Amino acid sequence: MNLSIIQEYSREIIASGITAIVFFILRIVTTKLVRRYAQSHQTIEHRTNLVIKYLHLFLNILVVIALIIVWGVQAKDIIIALSSFTTVVGVAMFAQWSILSNITSGIILFFSFPFKIGDVIKIHDKDFPIQAEIEDIGAFHVFLRTIDGEQIIFPNNLLLQKGISILKNEFHDQDFID
């Protein structure tokens, strides 16, 4: 009985094995590439780990889709399941679009890297202009500190929407006069 099942599904078993091997190779390669990129651009370790985590999640989703296709699930069934899932996630994410937007912006900031920790930036906002030093860049927010010591937590997606000037490190070079 077991031998006949193995013979009947031998193609699927072999394809699943190949998919698993390709998956592990892709995980290793993407991790090494991101780490090499981060080292060459002097990126902070926890930001690098966040990007690797996001890429691994994306690869996991691709592997699940590939295995579903390999095992012959009907396209009609996949479409029904995905449409139901995306409807539920879409409704939930509509309320939380800023979270997804900030994660995406965090990844864009990681790879484009227009500024780094320690830079003093000026955010050109008509209603609330900010000039501050970047203390940390997280997955969702950038942590800023003004010359007065005020800490500002600024969402990543707004950094991509606003004009930003990178200033010389004015905070450390100023002479304070009584």
Side-chain angles (χ1 to χ4, degrees):
M1 180 72 174
N2 287 337
L3 188 59
S4 65
I5 291 174
I6 292 173
Q7 288 175 344
E8 183 178 347
Y9 293 107
S10 63
R11 281 185 169 168
E12 289 85 356
I13 293 170
I14 292 170
S16 296
I18 291 171
T19 303
I21 291 169
V22 168
F23 168 71
F24 287 116
I25 291 171
L26 280 174
R27 271 182 74 115
I28 292 168
V29 168
T30 56
T31 301
K32 286 185 179 186
L33 286 174
V34 169
R35 289 200 187 280
R36 186 175 302 144
Y37 178 86
Q39 283 178 343
S40 69
H41 289 80
Q42 299 172 349
T43 305
I44 295 175
E45 184 68 24
H46 78 270
R47 287 187 66 207
T48 304
N49 291 337
L50 280 173
V51 170
I52 289 170
K53 185 170 126 181
Y54 296 149
L55 287 173
H56 285 178
L57 177 64
F58 178 70
L59 285 174
N60 289 341
I61 291 168
L62 287 179
V63 165
V64 168
I65 291 170
L67 289 174
I68 287 172
I69 291 170
V70 163
W71 283 92
V73 176
Q74 298 295 319
K76 175 182 71 167
D77 297 335
I78 295 172
I79 292 170
I80 290 171
L82 283 177
S83 65
S84 300
F85 178 74
T86 54
T87 301
V88 170
V89 169
V91 169
M93 289 307 289
F94 181 73
Q96 298 298 326
W97 71 269
S98 64
I99 292 174
L100 185 59
S101 175
N102 281 318
I103 290 172
T104 304
S105 298
I107 292 172
I108 291 169
L109 289 174
F110 176 82
F111 284 109
S112 69
F113 213 65
F115 43 76
K116 62 185 181 301
I117 293 175
D119 283 349
V120 176
I121 63 170
K122 182 176 183 179
I123 301 172
H124 303 285
D125 187 350
K126 181 177 75 169
D127 299 324
F128 189 60
I130 298 171
Q131 183 172 334
E133 180 179 1
I134 299 173
E135 286 190 330
D136 193 15
I137 303 171
F140 300 101
H141 302 92
V142 172
F143 298 88
L144 305 168
R145 176 115 15 224
T146 66
I147 197 164
D148 300 327
E150 177 184 10
Q151 185 177 31
I152 299 172
I153 301 170
F154 206 79
N156 286 338
N157 64 344
L158 290 181
L159 281 177
L160 294 178
Q161 296 173 13
K162 305 285 181 185
I164 296 176
S165 298
I166 300 174
L167 309 172
K168 295 210 182 281
N169 200 339
E170 297 177 6
F171 290 1
H172 298 297
D173 297 339
Q174 286 186 349
D175 291 345
F176 293 98
I177 301 171
D178 293 287

